[in-house]
Amino acid sequence: MAERFLVVKITEEGMDLRERALEIPQKIGGCISLTQEEALQLYTILRKLLGQFEEE
């Protein structure tokens, strides 16, 4: 049986989008008045919640 290979290469436009996307967490953080501890608690709760959806 012959194996198939798929080569995926990101375009220049894709790299530009990646760079812009990396800025999103900082921009969101600048709009929300949470302490670092509160943000960590929120992140932990959200990850737990999303994990429950993956199990179903």
Side-chain angles (χ1 to χ4, degrees), residues 2 4 6 9-10 13-15 17 19-22 28 30-31 34 36-37 39-41 45 47 51 53-54:
R4 291 183 179 206
L6 175 65
K9 183 178 177 187
I10 191 165
E13 182 181 0
M15 285 300 292
L17 287 173
E19 292 299 318
R20 289 178 43 205
L22 291 173
I28 291 173
C31 297
L34 294 176
Q36 187 173 4
E37 182 179 332
L40 182 57
Q41 289 173 343
I45 291 167
R47 295 297 304 170
F53 288 119
E54 292 175 0

Side-chain angles (χ1 to χ4, degrees), residues 15-46:
M15 285 300 292
D16 290 342
L17 287 173
R18 180 182 182 274
E19 292 299 318
R20 289 178 43 205
L22 291 173
E23 299 171 3
I24 292 172
Q26 289 180 334
K27 289 182 178 182
I28 291 173
C31 297
I32 300 171
S33 59
L34 294 176
T35 66
Q36 187 173 4
E37 182 179 332
E38 291 170 330
L40 182 57
Q41 289 173 343
L42 177 60
Y43 175 80
T44 302
I45 291 167
L46 290 172

